[in-house]
Amino acid sequence: KQWYQRRVAITAGILDILSILPFYVGIIADMSAEGQSMEMTEVESKRYVVLRVCRIFRIIRIFKFVRHSQDLILIVRVVVHAKKELGLLVVLLGIFTVTFGSIMYYVEHEVNDQFNSIMQGCWWSIVTITTVGYGEVVPSTPGGKFVGSVVLTLGIVFLALPMTIIVSKFSSVYEKEKGDSKD
């Protein structure tokens, strides 16, 4: 356990350095560029791409605040306890997406220009299963509309069933934490 804690501390330190590094390098670059032309050439602009990528690490630093909130720690523990169920959910989502995306492509591609590839069908499928429903790609044939209604109905069931498992895991982890805090 000590090895793991040291590894996490070292990783967190590296992420902190990478997240603040662009700020200081930018200040140094600005100081060295004083008096020079402010326009950057394309080559000079490409040099700063690495610094721009390092700025993304600032977002990761937010996750360090999780350890200060008991509620967030509880949610992390629930996700860890439900990883098997969540993994199954992701696998089923992938299977449903590819299956119904392919079916929709073969039903619609001759009539509807929006379904010009199986990947476009998979995009429609994922948007429909998750009930987002952007409306940018819609079926136009009766067969496509029937498949769409089946996918939407299965999507609602698909998202509702795992939630009961996750809620029961949350309840058991919460009760366990509550029992541990009383001792």
Side-chain angles (χ1 to χ4, degrees):
K1 188 170 183 172
Q2 290 176 349
W3 175 84
Y4 175 75
Q5 289 174 340
R6 281 187 304 192
R7 179 70 147 214
V8 169
I10 290 170
T11 305
I14 291 170
L15 289 176
D16 284 343
I17 290 170
L18 288 175
S19 65
I20 63 171
L21 185 68
F23 174 75
Y24 291 111
V25 171
I27 290 174
I28 292 169
D30 288 343
M31 289 172 44
S32 66
E34 284 183 16
Q36 296 179 2
S37 171
M38 293 305 288
E39 294 181 24
M40 272 198 245
T41 65
E42 188 176 328
V43 174
E44 290 173 337
S45 178
K46 287 182 181 179
R47 289 181 191 161
Y48 291 106
V49 170
V50 173
L51 293 177
R52 290 183 191 129
V53 170
C54 286
R55 288 181 181 156
I56 294 172
F57 291 115
R58 290 181 187 173
I59 297 168
I60 295 173
R61 291 180 70 193
I62 293 172
F63 294 116
K64 289 175 64 176
F65 293 114
V66 169
R67 65 179 172 210
H68 300 295
S69 170
Q70 293 300 318
D71 297 333
L72 293 176
I73 291 171
L74 179 65
I75 290 172
V76 169
R77 287 190 178 142
V78 168
V79 169
V80 168
H81 279 78
K83 65 184 169 191
K84 183 178 174 184
E85 292 82 2
L86 292 172
L88 179 64
L89 179 71
V90 169
V91 168
L92 286 176
L93 180 63
I95 291 170
F96 284 171
T97 299
V98 172
T99 302
F100 288 113
S102 300
I103 290 171
M104 187 56 83
Y105 167 73
Y106 287 114
V107 169
E108 290 281 324
H109 80 281
E110 292 177 359
V111 179
N112 193 341
D113 291 339
Q114 294 175 328
F115 292 94
N116 54 10
S117 69
I118 290 179
M119 287 308 294
Q120 187 65 32
C122 289
W123 169 250
W124 170 86
S125 181
I126 195 80
V127 166
T128 305
I129 289 171
T130 58
T131 67
V132 173
Y134 287 130
E136 59 190 21
V137 179
V138 293
S140 59
T141 63
K145 290 178 182 180
F146 175 75
V147 171
S149 63
V150 169
V151 170
L152 184 59
T153 304
L154 286 177
I156 292 170
V157 172
F158 170 76
L159 292 175
L161 287 177
M163 290 306 135
T164 58
I165 296 168
I166 292 169
V167 167
S168 70
K169 291 281 185 181
F170 181 83
S171 177
S172 66
V173 170
Y174 181 76
E175 290 299 322
K176 183 179 175 187
E177 292 289 319
K178 194 174 171 184
D180 288 346
S181 66
K182 286 183 179 179
D183 293 340

